[in-house]
Amino acid sequence: MRMLAASPLLASPYLFGGSLASLLGAGDLTEGAFLGWLDALQQSGEVISSPGQALDVLDFEPAARKALPPAHFGHLATGVDDDGTVRANREAYSRIQIRPRRLVAVEKVDMSVRLLGTTWSSPIVICPIGGQKAFHPEGDVAVARAARAKDHLQILSTVATSSVEEVTAARGAPVWQQLYPTNVWEVGRSIVKRAQAAGCPAIVFTVDLQEGSNRETLFRAQQTDKRDCSTCHQGAYTGWARGRPGAASGGFSQFAARKPMFDGLDLSKVTALRPVPLDWDFVKRLRDTVTVKLLIKGIVTREDAQLAVEHGVDGLIVSNHGGRAEETLRPTIESLPEVLVGVGGKIPVIVDGGIRRGTDIFKALALGATAVGIGRPQSWGLAAFGQPGVEAVLEILRRELRTIMRQAGTATVVSINRSYVVARVP
Ligand SMILES: Cc1cc2nc3c(=O)[nH]c(=O)nc-3n(C[C@H](O)[C@H](O)[C@H](O)COP(=O)(O)O)c2cc1C
């Protein structure tokens, strides 16, 4: 704590540094006084003003809120209904305890993982997020530059605001392409072909969104946003959020005009981002079309995991869309074990949803995930500080994972297994 007081961080007025420094400098530090300071800090609502001030990735959320107009922050934050599944994703990690082993010599921590034939320096994957230019003018390109700087796998959304070619160039290496195939087969097929031509080694088919997701936090935020949004959102396609009070009807072409992955395609018959019907026959057809790896994102049950393997899928992402699809109240980390039973070790399984700490990543790996996906934290970093913000988010997570791996006595990711975690006794 005395080292903390001497740190340049605390020399600034930021984070009550002055008062902690004087508390420590006066030599009268008691545990109670320190905890009181910490409590005051947590209640203070102070917001970081540079990436270097962040102590953890959660510090970026208030900075993003401050940087964004209410409706854009609402779009990022929202779940569905009461946001119960958003909270469940996060809270589930606090029910899992870590069992560190002692007296294990860990000189060097190796966080690398092998995923579908490629080795990555960490198991932290950047999830697809649509419309990132709503958070920062450089959008997915800034994320790609950060992914390049820190060597992370990036998955690009179909409804990204930058093209797969631009993002691949900024990343300096191929990215994976997420797929919303739409209700018109030729449109979906063209997106797959374009992504493959850009060098994408994997297509990630998202299957967890139907229509009418009740994104109430977004709708409330929209009501408080007093800006004129019609220049960007005129006649906007409201997609799965259709049905909200006052929602515009349809307007897919105008929506798609701002999404480069639809450039040059005939969208006259497109009415939905999902295929109609969204079923296993569609997966069969897609499997026959995709010449690179095919993953499904949004699987949360053993039965569907088994079916995915039977349909020749190469990997799964256990996901509930960050609690934005339906209000199941079921955290993804609690779905992971049954999905792993379903795949029986035949294909890799990534899990996303609520991962905010290196210890969360450690727990997911211990429960059998090959890698983990990060959604909102990348956008918090992006919204608040652009590329340096995303880099800081990735760096903090890497640092925290390295720390817990060392503490637990696990020098490599493959050495992290179920024996390192235990469920909290209720
Ligand atoms: C603003 C926002 C946009 C998203 N857009 C997409 C998308 O276009 N495609 C997709 O498959 N998932 C999308 N997701 C879901 C994420 O890929 C990921 O599954 C989820 O955010 C993980 O949960 P987390 O945010 O708690 O980390 C989006 C999530 C958010 C928050």
Side-chain angles (χ1 to χ4, degrees):
M1 280 188 282
R2 283 180 203 290
M3 272 169 60
L4 248 180
S7 107
L9 188 71
L10 298 181
S12 73
Y14 166 70
L15 293 186
F16 288 98
S19 58
L20 178 63
S22 55
L23 190 68
L24 293 169
D28 57 358
L29 181 70
T30 61
E31 191 185 343
F34 178 72
L35 290 177
W37 168 82
L38 205 56
D39 194 41
L41 170 65
Q42 282 163 352
Q43 308 291 322
S44 71
E46 288 221 24
V47 176
I48 58 171
S49 56
S50 74
Q53 290 174 340
L55 297 181
D56 57 52
V57 303
L58 292 159
D59 280 342
F60 289 90
E61 185 176 15
R65 180 193 285 266
K66 192 173 167 188
L68 292 175
H72 289 193
F73 184 77
H75 169 61
L76 177 54
T78 196
V80 288
D81 297 356
D82 301 312
D83 292 346
T85 310
V86 180
R87 284 191 299 279
N89 276 348
R90 177 84 207 102
E91 285 164 9
Y93 282 97
S94 67
R95 293 193 291 274
I96 303 167
Q97 300 173 345
I98 294 173
R99 297 178 67 243
R101 297 296 310 276
R102 304 302 187 205
L103 301 166
V104 181
V106 179
E107 293 311 318
K108 196 170 171 298
V109 172
D110 176 3
M111 294 187 290
S112 67
V113 290
R114 202 149 168 81
L115 187 55
L116 295 175
T118 304
T119 300
W120 298 94
S121 63
S122 90
I124 304 165
V125 176
I126 298 175
C127 285
I129 300 272
Q132 296 253 53
K133 282 189 185 163
F135 308 136
H136 188 277
E138 289 174 356
D140 305 280
V141 166
V143 175
R145 292 197 187 114
R148 177 183 202 157
K150 299 290 169 186
D151 185 29
H152 287 261
L153 168 60
Q154 179 180 6
I155 309 177
L156 185 69
S157 168
T158 302
V159 290
T161 33
S162 306
S163 69
V164 68
E165 295 83 9
E166 277 177 285
V167 169
T168 304
R171 175 63 185 82
V175 298
W176 289 7
Q177 176 68 58
Q178 180 266 335
L179 181 67
Y180 289 135
T182 81
N183 60 307
V184 177
W185 170 256
E186 272 313 314
V187 170
R189 199 170 76 107
S190 301
I191 294 171
V192 167
K193 288 200 164 231
R194 179 173 171 181
Q196 289 177 169
C200 294
I203 301 292
V204 179
F205 176 34
T206 299
V207 299
D208 55 11
L209 289 188
Q210 295 284 341
E211 283 199 3
S213 293
N214 182 34
R215 296 188 175 170
E216 234 172 87
T217 294
L218 167 63
F219 306 150
R220 285 183 206 288
Q222 283 171 330
Q223 284 164 2
T224 68
D225 201 322
K226 301 297 176 218
R227 298 164 312 135
D228 173 12
C229 303
S230 60
T231 42
C232 290
H233 295 287
Q234 197 182 21
Y237 167 80
T238 52
W240 14 86
R242 190 173 289 152
R244 75 180 165 87
S249 57
F252 190 86
S253 300
Q254 276 163 304
F255 164 82
R258 292 182 296 117
K259 312 290 183 193
M261 291 311 290
F262 293 106
D263 283 354
L265 301 178
D266 175 5
L267 303 175
S268 55
K269 298 198 172 64
V270 176
T271 54
L273 281 173
R274 68 188 164 100
V276 179
L278 173 50
D279 60 9
W280 287 104
D281 280 345
F282 187 87
V283 173
K284 207 179 287 169
R285 203 171 173 198
L286 195 60
R287 177 66 287 183
D288 291 342
T289 301
V290 171
T291 57
V292 294
K293 303 286 186 196
L294 175 65
L295 292 92
I296 296 187
K297 176 171 182 279
I299 296 294
V300 289
T301 60
R302 174 180 48 77
E303 297 90 326
D304 288 345
Q306 267 166 349
L307 282 165
V309 171
E310 284 165 26
H311 282 76
V313 166
D314 299 297
L316 292 181
I317 304 185
V318 176
S319 177
N320 53 27
H321 222 97
R324 300 159 76 84
E326 70 277 293
E327 191 80 307
T328 59
L329 301 176
R330 185 149 195 250
T332 47
I333 192 64
E334 292 183 12
S335 302
L336 175 67
E338 66 167 283
V339 170
L340 287 166
V341 170
V343 305
K346 295 192 185 80
I347 54 174
V349 176
I350 301 171
V351 63
D352 74 22
I355 291 171
R356 305 291 181 261
R357 286 283 188 187
T359 48
D360 301 337
I361 301 169
F362 183 91
K363 291 169 188 178
L365 297 172
L367 289 171
T370 307
V372 302
I374 306 300
R376 292 179 186 84
Q378 60 167 296
S379 305
W380 296 336
L382 177 69
F385 307 112
Q387 178 190 341
V390 185
E391 281 189 35
V393 163
L394 296 170
E395 186 53 42
I396 288 170
L397 290 173
R398 293 168 76 105
R399 187 184 69 214
E400 289 184 351
L401 176 60
R402 200 178 296 116
T403 302
I404 186 58
M405 284 178 70
R406 193 185 297 283
Q407 281 295 125
T410 50
T412 59
V413 167
V414 285
S415 64
I416 306 171
N417 59 41
R418 273 197 101 109
S419 73
Y420 289 90
V421 288
V422 62
R424 194 178 71 193
V425 180

